[in-house]
Amino acid sequence: MENYLNVLEESLQKKIKVLNKIQDYNLKQQEIFQSDTVNMDEFDQYVEEKGELIEELNQLDNGFEILYANLSKQLQEDRARYAPQIRTLQELVKQVTDMSVTIQTQEARNKKLIEDYFRKSREEIKKGRRSSKAAYDYYKNMSNTNFVQPQFMDDKK
């Protein structure tokens, strides 16, 4: 039983390490969109690496839940015997929960930064299109100014 509790504790500690890495990637992504020049290749790389960490996190969650489901009845029956280990697990779960909330906040902040970046990009593209259209219209009008319609026409042949 103690071995299983140790495995649960190790799983939570690994989960904390993965969550720390995700927080680091979130900060890197935030820095990208707060800088003057946005490097989308670097951003894409961070998204891909963060996706791998999220996959690892999901695997750790699944393993933890399966093991805990098998042990929960035994832990309830002999709670006093495993009290110190249970408190440690509860503290680790609290850390994981706090980190998850922090990550959700970071993700929401990054989402807003990304939306602002793309909104500005779309506005610049629209502005560029308008300028291009105005220049084209001007060119078209000016090219027609050299052409003078015949003023007098001789209908007799």
Side-chain angles (χ1 to χ4, degrees), residues 22-126:
I22 290 174
Q23 283 180 329
D24 291 341
Y25 279 111
N26 282 341
L27 291 175
K28 289 176 183 178
Q29 288 175 333
Q30 181 179 353
E31 289 171 3
I32 287 174
F33 284 99
Q34 287 179 337
S35 69
D36 294 335
T37 57
V38 175
N39 185 344
M40 289 305 289
D41 291 333
E42 192 175 14
F43 174 75
D44 289 341
Q45 178 186 351
Y46 290 155
V47 168
E48 188 175 314
E49 291 171 4
K50 196 165 72 170
E52 292 171 5
L53 290 172
I54 290 170
E55 183 64 33
E56 183 180 344
L57 194 64
N58 288 335
Q59 290 174 354
L60 288 169
D61 274 345
N62 291 338
F64 182 87
E65 288 175 11
I66 291 169
L67 188 55
Y68 182 76
N70 292 337
L71 297 177
S72 64
K73 187 175 181 180
Q74 293 173 354
L75 286 175
Q76 294 301 325
E77 292 172 357
D78 206 3
R79 191 170 184 87
R81 179 176 174 193
Y82 302 110
Q85 290 169 313
I86 291 172
R87 275 193 294 277
T88 302
L89 291 174
Q90 288 172 335
E91 194 58 39
L92 290 171
V93 167
K94 182 182 180 305
Q95 286 179 15
V96 166
T97 304
D98 291 344
M99 292 177 82
S100 296
V101 169
T102 302
I103 288 172
Q104 287 175 350
T105 304
Q106 287 176 327
E107 291 287 341
R109 189 178 313 125
N110 285 352
K111 180 182 177 191
K112 181 163 178 15
L113 287 172
I114 293 168
E115 288 172 349
D116 290 346
Y117 170 76
F118 284 119
R119 184 174 32 258
K120 288 177 188 174
S121 294
R122 279 192 301 269
E123 289 172 4
E124 288 176 13
I125 290 170
K126 285 180 186 177

